Amino acid sequence: MEDDFAQWYTDVVKQAELVDYGTVRGTMIIKPYGFAIWENIRDELDKKFKETGHSNVYFPLFIPENMLQKEKDHIEGFAPEVAWVTHGGEEELAERICVRPTSEVLFGEYYSKNIHSYRDLPKLYNQWSNVVRWEKTTRPFLRSLEFLWQEGHTAHATREDAEAETNRMLEIYADVCENYLAVPVLRGKKTESEKFAGANYTLTIESLMHDGKALQSGTSHYFGTGFAEAFDILFLDENGEQKPVHQTSWGMSTRIMGALIMVHGDNRGLVIPPRIAPTQAMIVPVAQHKEGVLDKAYDLRDRLQNLVRIDIDGSDKKPGWKFNEYEMKGIPVRIEMGPKDIENEQVVLVRRDTGDKEFVPLGELEERLPALLQEVQQNLYKQAQNHLEETTTTAVDMGEIKSALDESPGFIKAMWCGDADCEEKIKEETSATSRCIPFEQEKVADSCVCCGREATEMVYWARAY
């Protein structure tokens, strides 16, 4: 990974059996192990959405062109990536149909017909779906023509309620990233140039990959009344006055799988945090041809399977092959059990994150194994947090930005005057983009890193995926 990070990434997603390439350029087949990890992420998010009062729905894959044109900024932002259906069978369609890049306009049309009174609000909807964006450059999970995600779309009576929702959903994303995926994130607001097309503003969580590049890991948007005015989403308030609703939208996609791989992975392959791992512990019998070894290993699995997500490899492959296989797949803990271990009434626990081994008496496993998984989870977060902090630097001029990107790639804290021309100049000269205006501001200088004029906002910059 130190020599060719891009090739390392491709090798890992293939050899760990996360994905295979689809027949159409830029598409991917998510294999069972990769989908199992995504399911665990999805299930945690879904639980949190439902705990906060959201209902799941499903909207169509196809959007008529005339509907997409209703919100000008929105369609302009997505135009280069839209896939169009022009024929149905042999017949040319009278109107082109867009293959869903996102569903704001579909929800807008629906809400215009189903929201009439303040009693209908708030509408708290989420859908789990696929979307299509015709990307020029693709890479599994990070950028593909089709990907899986959830997209929340909510409607509220007041700006205050909508903005509270926007903040609340961003914090749910941050919670899942930090406490389940063990990925530390920066919370903040996107600049005007980087916000979602059609939004008043966009909030984001940004994570840092092992190679020092940033990844936008989840976004939450406040739309104001823009879509409501375009789609006539009006309601009668308690005083009988007709008003437009305030809307939000928020999403997290299979792109987060890329973060999981690139934050924790190493030269032996994947490293999966226990809280999100499909298999938290894998039993590998040693000298399993000897009498009683396999039976004892299966007994151990049955004993522990209600405590942790555990499996056993009873195949006739050699133990060394199995060790490498489960290291590649990032299984958090390996349990080795051979004739001598059975004789001594113990097992060997091997951590994937550090490679450390420990001998644990069989009678203490119920207590030790969950505790060890928690230690692995905490250590992965600590390692990622340390990396983020160690590679975050401060710059006061363009020369320092360039030096930082060359010498220690990561996040760069620098002041900005708020001028989009300065933001564009930084991008052109360094390939770094503004990642977010953090909620927790610092004053690292008095003047803009680009033009030298007075600056009041500190921005995180980085090269990014």
Side-chain angles (χ1 to χ4, degrees):
M1 66 193 298
E2 291 81 7
D3 298 332
D4 190 340
F5 194 77
Q7 186 60 50
W8 168 87
Y9 178 85
T10 301
D11 290 345
V12 167
V13 296
K14 289 278 286 178
Q15 292 183 34
E17 298 187 322
L18 299 180
V19 302
D20 211 340
Y21 293 108
T23 51
V24 174
R25 179 201 68 84
T27 61
M28 62 179 176
I29 298 162
I30 306 177
K31 298 177 81 171
Y33 188 54
F35 202 81
I37 297 170
W38 170 244
E39 282 181 309
N40 284 347
I41 298 170
R42 182 195 67 190
D43 291 349
E44 289 300 336
L45 284 168
D46 197 63
K47 182 173 72 174
K48 292 178 185 300
F49 295 160
K50 286 170 180 169
E51 286 172 352
T52 47
H54 299 84
S55 299
N56 284 338
V57 296
Y58 186 80
F59 277 66
L61 179 66
F62 299 122
I63 306 171
E65 185 172 10
N66 73 83
M67 187 185 296
L68 205 62
Q69 297 289 352
K70 284 188 178 181
E71 216 292 329
K72 181 174 173 290
D73 291 340
H74 185 66
I75 180 55
E76 284 183 0
F78 278 102
E81 299 174 351
V82 170
W84 295 99
V85 177
T86 59
H87 287 72
E90 297 296 324
E91 185 180 339
E92 185 172 351
L93 301 179
E95 179 186 15
R96 293 193 302 174
I97 295 173
C98 165
V99 183
R100 172 178 58 206
T102 180
S103 301
E104 275 72 21
V105 296
L106 290 172
F107 278 86
E109 184 80 1
Y110 174 85
Y111 284 153
S112 70
K113 297 173 181 176
N114 289 275
I115 293 174
H116 309 290
S117 160
Y118 70 93
R119 294 186 182 89
D120 299 324
L121 297 171
K123 280 278 190 287
L124 305 177
Y125 284 171
N126 171 67
Q127 79 165 351
W128 292 96
S129 66
N130 62 337
V131 292
V132 172
R133 296 183 186 173
W134 213 259
E135 302 278 4
K136 292 179 181 177
T137 304
T138 61
R139 190 179 298 178
F141 294 123
L142 297 176
R143 289 199 182 276
S144 53
L145 299 194
E146 177 189 4
F147 55 89
L148 305 180
W149 77 345
Q150 56 74 212
E151 47 179 313
H153 297 274
T154 69
H156 306 262
T158 66
R159 176 180 183 130
E160 291 75 21
D161 287 348
E163 290 193 310
E165 168 80 356
T166 308
N167 285 293
R168 175 172 68 169
M169 302 321 293
L170 188 80
E171 199 51 44
I172 284 177
Y173 292 151
D175 176 26
V176 169
C177 279
E178 294 185 331
N179 295 314
Y180 291 85
L181 279 72
V183 173
V185 295
L186 301 178
R187 299 158 171 82
K189 186 178 179 181
K190 286 289 190 184
T191 64
E192 281 293 305
S193 302
E194 293 287 333
K195 74 178 184 180
F196 182 76
N200 277 31
Y201 62 77
T202 292
L203 305 183
T204 182
I205 52 171
E206 301 283 329
S207 53
L208 189 69
M209 305 302 98
H210 187 81
D211 65 346
K213 287 186 179 178
L215 186 75
Q216 179 179 289
S217 300
T219 49
S220 186
H221 320 285
Y222 170 61
F223 285 157
T225 58
F227 281 91
E229 288 159 9
F231 287 88
D232 292 324
I233 313 172
L234 305 173
F235 73 101
L236 289 176
D237 69 8
E238 294 182 37
N239 299 318
E241 292 183 35
Q242 199 171 58
K243 292 182 177 178
V245 299
H246 293 257
Q247 288 178 266
T248 79
S249 178
W250 27 273
M252 181 177 276
S253 76
T254 40
R255 202 166 196 236
I256 199 65
M257 294 279 288
L260 189 69
I261 297 162
M262 292 191 289
V263 169
H264 300 305
D266 60 22
N267 282 320
R268 290 180 291 158
L270 286 178
V271 182
I272 306 297
R275 295 190 76 179
I276 221 71
T279 301
Q280 296 172 315
M282 177 64 73
I283 301 172
V284 178
V286 178
Q288 66 184 47
H289 62 284
K290 294 192 175 180
E291 186 178 353
V293 172
L294 265 181
D295 290 340
K296 287 286 187 182
Y298 277 105
D299 287 346
L300 184 63
R301 182 202 63 180
D302 294 345
R303 188 177 123 195
L304 297 173
Q305 62 185 358
N306 292 326
L307 190 66
V308 299
R309 295 188 290 276
I310 192 167
D311 203 352
I312 184 171
D313 188 338
S315 70
D316 58 4
K317 296 184 176 105
K318 293 185 182 297
W321 189 97
K322 296 176 185 179
F323 295 167
N324 288 332
E325 172 76 357
Y326 300 118
E327 284 185 354
M328 168 61 74
K329 291 193 168 183
I331 306 293
V333 172
R334 183 173 76 242
I335 304 176
E336 299 174 13
M337 188 180 200
K340 286 186 179 179
D341 298 308
I342 293 170
E343 186 181 328
N344 295 326
E345 296 188 346
Q346 66 181 24
V347 295
V348 183
L349 301 185
V350 186
R351 292 173 59 148
R352 175 61 181 87
D353 60 332
T354 63
D356 292 345
K357 294 185 177 185
E358 62 178 280
F359 296 89
V360 178
L362 282 171
E364 297 177 13
L365 263 180
E366 275 86 353
E367 182 178 347
R368 180 57 190 144
L369 184 54
L372 182 61
L373 289 169
Q374 181 61 19
E375 289 170 22
V376 172
Q377 181 80 26
Q378 291 172 345
N379 184 53
L380 288 175
Y381 182 85
K382 182 181 176 183
Q383 286 180 337
Q385 181 67 29
N386 287 344
H387 177 249
L388 188 154
E389 291 173 358
E390 288 165 5
T391 55
T392 296
T393 54
T394 300
V396 298
D397 58 38
M398 291 290 282
E400 289 189 357
I401 285 187
K402 292 173 183 177
S403 296
L405 290 168
D406 291 338
E407 295 166 14
S408 178
F411 286 119
I412 299 168
K413 297 190 287 189
M415 302 302 289
W416 178 53
C417 62
D419 192 326
D421 289 340
C422 284
E423 185 180 4
E424 184 60 28
K425 185 177 180 182
I426 293 170
K427 183 178 179 180
E428 286 177 0
E429 292 192 14
T430 69
S431 299
T433 53
S434 62
R435 303 317 306 160
C436 71
I437 304 165
F439 299 143
E440 295 184 12
Q441 280 285 304
E442 299 175 50
K443 189 173 183 180
V444 298
D446 294 320
S447 57
C448 175
V449 72
C450 181
C451 67
R453 289 177 295 182
E454 184 180 354
T456 55
E457 287 182 322
M458 189 271 280
V459 176
Y460 279 100
W461 310 82
R463 290 180 180 140
Y465 286 98

